[in-house]
Amino acid sequence: MPNRLADATSPYLRQHAENPVDWWEWGADAFEEARRRGVPVLLSVGYASCHWCHVMAHESFEDAELAGHLNERFVAVKVDREERPDVDAVYMEAVQAATGQGGWPMTVFLTPDQEPFYFGTYFPPEPRHGMPSFRQVLDGVDAAWRERRQEVGEVAGRIRADLAERAAVYSAGAHHPPGDADLHQALVALSREFDQARGGFGGAPKFPPAMVVEFLLRHHARTGSEAALEMAVRTGEAMARGGIHDQLGGGFARYAVDAGWVVPHFEKMLYDNALLLRAYLHLWRAAGSGLARRVALSTADFLLRELRTPEGAFASALDADSLDEETGAMAEGAYYAWEPGQLVDLLGPADAATAARLFTVTADGTFEHGTSVLQLLADPEDFAEYEEIRRRMSEARAARPAPARDDKVVAAWNGLAIAALAETGALLERPDLVEAAERAADLLLAVHLTPDGRLLRTSRDGRAGANAGVLEDYADTAEGFLALYAVTGEAEWLQLAGGLLDTVLKHFTDEASGALYDTADDAEQLIRRPQDPTDNATPSGWTAAAGALLTYAAYTGSDRHRTAAERALGIVGALAGRAPRFIGWGLAVAEALLDGPREVAVVGPAGDRATEALRRAALLGTAPGAVVAVGSPGASEAADEVPLLADRPLVGGEPAAYVCRHFACEAPTTDPAVLAERLGVAVALE
């Protein structure tokens, strides 16, 4: 019989609906049941495309004998971390503090008062590699609960107190917005961690540093630092040529298990691809890289082809695992890896040899069982031949069993995709991408935005879930709407962004310090209110909100929003030199603050060629965080909606661009080349 998860909206929870484990969803009922029975809670947190989550489910949660043992002694609660990032954040912080590491699946044992007292991640069915078996863990926790209850309570109390102390650090409010010296210090610290040989930062596993790349590009644009540009370009090229980049279908896997970007962890996440799409677009804009342009377009096409839902938004992820037709079992990477013999069967000996050379498919293999993950270590000499081989390989791969898709729509990640697609469509002259961004934004408005202006975090099949939006949902959705306004000139998007940011100021901000919380003041109260200014796989909600607040203030002249952005950025100065890899988006926003950001108002008849030439020059500018508003001359309604456009006449009867920064404006220009020079345009306007 299906368990309680059969009616869940989360695809991840529904994957466990047939388990013999008597799962509960997170909620008061589960903890009341634990209190009634006098047993601890097993909290298991994961997500649909997590490989090791699937492994542990198959090995342990599908085992009827083990499940019976678990059900007898615990109340089991299953959480999708993508639906409940607040629950995940609180207990992941405890896991990392206690063990020095974290990850998913996350396994935490709680008292009926939600206090954690024992932690772990994946546990195997039998002891191995120094890890106890899951059965041993269950027996040990059960024995401690029954025989040493006071000791368990003391441990839980110490952990809760430690979490409270950590929270106090972020709310101290003793920091000022970072200055030039702080950002230079961050650059120096990053250069020490930069992998000169292989690009990226640190060793294995190696994650795509999209937010850090954005900081480096903005720092180069503001200061002229060649070191910053070199690190960004080399990292972008290394990732694009490695196995982490899907050389056939476009898009990127979650991370590389090695330091050279060769073998990925094969899950493909919406947030990674949205962030990397924007990063490669900006790499092209800053350096004119043809490779970056190709990668941006192929990543955008991947989003539309494989992650767009029937309702027009974007699904969360593709699994790492798929069916291996030779073994009949699910295997990580089976969809993506190739053997030399498969190339010969498909292409014939001559083209197979070319394909093997182009994509580094070897007899020994670069992955498991003699298979290779495709790489493109150098551009092909004959692009037509390369494209034909790539087409045939893509068609053949499409016939393989495909990875499953988690079709849950997450507001924050769709906000990131909206921003990236809107900008890419405008800069690379792909109106279909702008239309896709608008359609996704329309879905968020229709399904995720409630009548009282609050956001719901998730939806599926066009139906909203019950989980309240967290800070990143408001911040990233506002960022997407602001990007749509810059590209389309439709003031509704600016107004909608303002409404979301007003909610941030009212419900997520500590008025005393300016610090930001991940959950609203009227959200479910956990053992502590989660709060984290550092980036994870996505920009911190804290610094993403600071960026959107700063942009909105530049459009509207709102001192309230700018002051809130400056106060929120105080934490960045404290972390810039110590942990720049984990505050990348905050550093990027700080670059915009130091540069102004520049405010560009383009005034001219809609659709006029001269107006559009000025608009394009403005959008191609590399000035950090520059905002662009376009409107018709003398349109009082537009000026009322977008104060940046107020009192901007034509110049000599011609469309004109006005550039302001730091509360002072330059003389208007009618020449796109002059505007391009002022904004640091690095690519040809034509």
Side-chain angles (χ1 to χ4, degrees):
M1 292 289 293
N3 56 44
R4 293 177 188 84
L5 303 186
D7 296 325
T9 57
S10 160
Y12 173 64
L13 298 189
R14 292 170 72 93
Q15 287 173 359
H16 294 267
E18 300 292 335
N19 291 170
V21 175
D22 186 21
W23 290 113
W24 294 68
E25 291 194 61
W26 176 274
D29 290 349
F31 290 96
E32 181 57 37
E33 175 69 4
R35 196 172 291 111
R36 184 187 68 80
R37 290 174 50 196
V39 298
V41 170
L42 164 67
L43 173 64
S44 177
V45 183
Y47 55 103
S49 59
C50 165
H51 170 70
W52 287 103
C53 298
H54 295 319
V55 171
M56 188 169 177
H58 177 67
E59 292 175 340
S60 297
F61 299 143
E62 295 174 10
D63 184 312
E65 181 182 354
L66 188 147
H69 185 69
L70 192 163
N71 294 337
E72 180 183 346
R73 304 184 185 196
F74 301 89
V75 168
V77 174
K78 177 62 76 172
V79 167
D80 181 344
R81 66 173 294 263
E82 296 175 350
E83 278 199 336
R84 292 301 303 263
D86 51 341
V87 173
D88 177 67
V90 167
Y91 294 106
M92 182 58 73
E93 185 174 20
V95 171
Q96 291 173 331
T99 68
Q101 59 187 1
W104 298 276
M106 176 168 63
T107 306
V108 186
F109 293 89
L110 314 176
T111 71
D113 293 324
Q114 302 184 11
E115 295 178 326
F117 63 89
Y118 188 80
F119 318 89
T121 52
Y122 163 79
F123 290 109
E126 303 293 339
R128 68 170 79 120
H129 308 307
M131 291 186 291
S133 71
F134 188 47
R135 176 64 180 261
Q136 288 175 324
V137 170
L138 294 177
D139 288 343
V141 171
D142 174 57
W145 180 259
R146 288 185 289 104
E147 299 167 10
R148 303 188 303 278
R149 183 77 60 87
Q150 181 177 349
E151 180 182 332
V152 168
E154 291 171 353
V155 169
R158 287 197 300 270
I159 293 169
R160 186 166 188 164
D162 179 64
L163 292 176
E165 289 178 8
R166 289 167 175 265
V169 172
Y170 293 145
S171 296
H175 311 297
H176 300 288
D180 189 69
D182 296 305
L183 299 184
H184 177 71
Q185 187 180 20
L187 181 70
V188 171
L190 285 169
S191 67
R192 294 194 189 104
E193 297 186 66
F194 181 63
D195 187 334
Q196 294 283 347
R198 293 161 294 202
F201 300 89
K206 191 170 274 185
F207 290 81
M211 290 79 83
V212 170
V213 167
E214 186 67 31
F215 160 63
L216 293 172
L217 292 176
R218 290 185 177 193
H219 190 74
H220 166 71
R222 186 178 65 83
T223 69
S225 168
E226 290 301 321
L229 181 62
E230 180 185 3
M231 284 190 282
V233 170
R234 290 181 64 184
T235 297
E237 180 167 0
M239 291 191 298
R241 297 199 180 282
I244 192 174
H245 179 216
D246 184 348
Q247 302 295 340
L248 296 184
F252 288 82
R254 178 70 195 91
Y255 62 86
V257 300
D258 59 283
W261 309 106
V262 178
V263 177
H265 186 43
F266 289 89
E267 58 190 338
K268 294 170 82 171
M269 313 300 295
L270 172 59
Y271 51 74
D272 284 320
N273 284 283
L275 289 164
L276 287 167
L277 168 56
R278 210 174 187 189
Y280 277 97
L281 177 71
H282 293 171
L283 275 167
W284 167 78
R285 186 173 66 179
S289 164
L291 175 62
R293 187 181 191 278
R294 294 199 307 272
V295 171
L297 287 172
S298 68
T299 303
D301 288 336
F302 159 74
L303 289 178
L304 269 59
R305 185 182 63 251
E306 298 194 37
L307 290 184
R308 186 155 54 169
T309 69
E311 296 76 31
F314 294 92
S316 295
L318 298 180
D319 275 9
D321 299 0
S322 58
L323 182 68
D324 186 325
E325 292 180 291
E326 290 190 9
T327 66
M330 298 295 287
E332 185 179 10
Y335 185 72
Y336 300 99
W338 291 78
E339 298 174 357
Q342 292 173 319
L343 295 179
V344 173
D345 292 342
L346 174 67
L347 303 171
D351 284 348
T354 301
R357 175 176 50 80
L358 280 171
F359 293 120
T360 319
V361 178
T362 67
D364 292 335
T366 56
F367 185 45
E368 299 172 346
H369 312 300
T371 63
S372 294
V373 181
L374 304 185
Q375 303 174 73
L376 187 69
L377 300 183
D379 278 352
E381 296 178 3
D382 185 337
F383 263 96
E385 179 185 45
Y386 157 75
E387 289 293 351
E388 175 60 17
I389 288 174
R390 184 169 171 266
R391 180 190 66 78
R392 293 168 67 187
M393 291 177 66
S394 297
E395 290 179 355
R397 191 180 77 173
R400 297 176 177 179
R405 187 172 85 168
D406 179 349
D407 54 2
K408 173 176 76 271
V409 170
V410 177
W413 307 345
N414 273 262
L416 296 174
I418 289 164
L421 289 167
E423 282 195 4
T424 304
L427 269 60
L428 300 184
E429 300 180 288
R430 281 278 303 273
D432 62 310
L433 301 182
V434 178
E435 291 170 8
E438 290 179 295
R439 190 174 173 204
D442 288 339
L443 183 282
L444 294 185
L445 293 181
V447 177
H448 288 248
L449 190 65
T450 65
D452 62 352
R454 305 299 287 271
L455 274 177
L456 297 171
R457 178 162 175 82
T458 61
S459 69
R460 188 165 180 257
D461 298 329
R463 298 192 304 273
N467 297 307
V470 297
L471 179 59
E472 71 163 0
D473 293 307
Y474 287 87
D476 292 339
T477 301
E479 177 78 11
F481 290 174
L482 290 166
L484 266 181
Y485 170 68
V487 165
T488 67
E490 296 176 9
E492 177 192 14
W493 298 119
L494 180 63
Q495 295 162 4
L496 288 164
L500 296 175
L501 294 172
D502 284 344
T503 300
V504 168
L505 296 180
K506 181 178 180 180
H507 291 289
F508 290 85
T509 305
D510 184 326
E511 292 186 7
S513 67
L516 294 170
Y517 290 95
D518 292 334
T519 55
D521 53 6
D522 54 1
E524 177 187 351
Q525 298 300 301
L526 304 175
I527 60 168
R528 89 166 183 85
R529 192 176 176 189
Q531 181 184 46
D532 189 356
T534 61
D535 298 332
N536 196 285
T538 57
S540 156
W542 184 326
T543 57
L549 286 162
L550 184 64
T551 298
Y552 183 77
Y555 276 123
T556 62
S558 169
D559 181 67
R560 182 169 70 104
H561 291 83
R562 184 178 177 94
T563 298
E566 291 175 349
R567 296 181 78 201
L569 286 173
I571 195 68
V572 178
L575 297 175
R578 289 189 288 137
R581 285 171 57 191
F582 305 101
I583 197 75
W585 191 250
L587 294 169
V589 176
E591 288 288 348
L593 180 66
L594 287 182
D595 198 62
R598 302 190 207 196
E599 303 155 359
V600 186
V602 175
V603 180
D608 181 87
R609 289 185 63 183
T611 304
E612 291 306 311
L614 289 169
R615 179 209 290 265
R616 180 162 178 76
L619 292 173
L620 286 170
T622 60
V627 303
V628 179
V630 181
S632 300
S636 59
E637 181 180 340
D640 290 341
E641 294 173 336
V642 188
L644 183 56
L645 292 171
D647 303 318
R648 309 289 192 188
L650 299 176
V651 174
E654 296 294 324
Y658 296 76
V659 180
C660 305
R661 65 188 297 216
H662 297 310
F663 311 103
C665 299
E666 301 178 30
T669 181
T670 60
D671 187 344
V674 172
L675 180 61
E677 183 178 359
R678 292 179 182 177
L679 298 177
V681 173
V683 296
L685 294 180
E686 295 295 328

